[in-house]
Amino acid sequence: MTRAQVRRAATAGIVLLTIVLGGCAVPPFEPRRPAPPLSQQTLVEVEQVVKTIEVELASFVPDEVTVAIEEKSRGSVMGCAPGGMSWGSSTVVRVAEQPDLGGVEAAVLSSWERAADFDIELTQGPTGDPRLVLRSAELGNYHFRQFDDKVQVLSFSTCFAYDAERDGHRWEIAAE
C-alpha cells in the first residue's frame, strides 16, 4: 500500500469515527410509549370488578337466543408493565343462534348504567367476524367474540401493581 493510500484510508477512518461518535450514524430517537399507570388494587379486588362487569355484559345477549351462561371461576395473569399485571377471564354464553352484536351494543348503550364509563366499538376480528369491544382506562377491556354455538365475553383488567406475597405467585394462579 502506498503512502497516499494509507493516508486516504486513515482519513476515511477518522471521518467514519467522527460520524459514528457524533451521532449521525445512530438511528433517530423513537419515543417509547409510556407504561400504563399501575392501579394499587390487589388481585382479589381486580378479579371482583372484572368478573362483575363480565357477567353483566354477558346478560345483554338476548334471552331468546341464550341457552346457558357459563361463568368461568378462574382466570390468568399476564404482564402489562414493569412490575404490573393484568388479569384476564371469560364467560361463555351458549346460544341457540348467534345474536346480532349491533343489537347487543344498542342494548348496552341504552340500558347499562356503566356504559358511559366505556368507549364502545362494534368492529371486525381478523377473519371478518363481528366483535364488540368495550374499553375503559379505569375498568379494563371487554370483548364479545362469536363462535359456533357460543358468544364469549373476554375480560382484561387494568394494569395493577403485582405483589407476589400479597397476590400469590404466578404459578399458584391457575389459568382456565
Side-chain angles (χ1 to χ4, degrees):
M1 192 181 257
T2 67
R3 190 175 268 199
Q5 290 172 324
V6 170
R7 236 183 272 135
R8 275 191 294 243
T11 303
I14 291 171
V15 169
L16 180 62
L17 185 60
T18 303
I19 290 171
V20 170
L21 293 177
C24 293
V26 175
F29 174 72
E30 293 183 24
R32 295 178 68 181
R33 292 165 75 199
L38 297 179
S39 161
Q40 296 306 307
Q41 292 177 299
T42 66
L43 174 60
V44 170
E45 293 168 332
V46 166
E47 287 175 351
Q48 290 171 347
V49 169
V50 169
K51 282 310 279 186
T52 298
I53 292 172
E54 180 184 294
V55 172
E56 285 176 10
L57 289 171
S59 72
F60 282 97
V61 173
D63 290 340
E64 56 271 8
V65 298
T66 298
V67 174
I69 295 178
E70 301 168 357
E71 180 183 345
K72 305 278 181 165
S73 60
R74 302 179 48 105
S76 59
V77 291
M78 58 213 115
C80 58
M85 288 291 192
S86 176
W87 185 72
S89 180
S90 69
T91 292
V92 170
V93 182
R94 299 262 174 216
V95 292
E97 65 183 64
Q98 285 298 326
D100 170 32
L101 287 183
V104 173
E105 176 189 30
V108 166
L109 287 169
S110 68
S111 61
W112 190 39
E113 63 187 37
R114 297 183 199 239
D117 297 330
F118 287 86
D119 291 324
I120 301 173
E121 177 185 17
L122 185 59
T123 186
Q124 290 184 345
T127 58
D129 55 317
R131 300 267 172 102
L132 181 58
V133 180
L134 297 90
R135 294 180 184 91
S136 169
E138 293 82 31
L139 299 170
N141 299 314
Y142 303 84
H143 302 255
F144 283 78
R145 292 191 329 178
Q146 296 178 320
F147 295 99
D148 298 330
D149 66 340
K150 63 186 170 187
V151 174
Q152 185 178 36
V153 181
L154 299 164
S155 60
F156 306 94
S157 76
T158 56
C159 199
F160 64 96
Y162 176 73
D163 179 346
E165 296 300 317
R166 176 192 72 191
D167 298 323
H169 296 280
R170 289 186 197 184
W171 58 86
E172 297 171 332
I173 303 169
E176 296 179 41

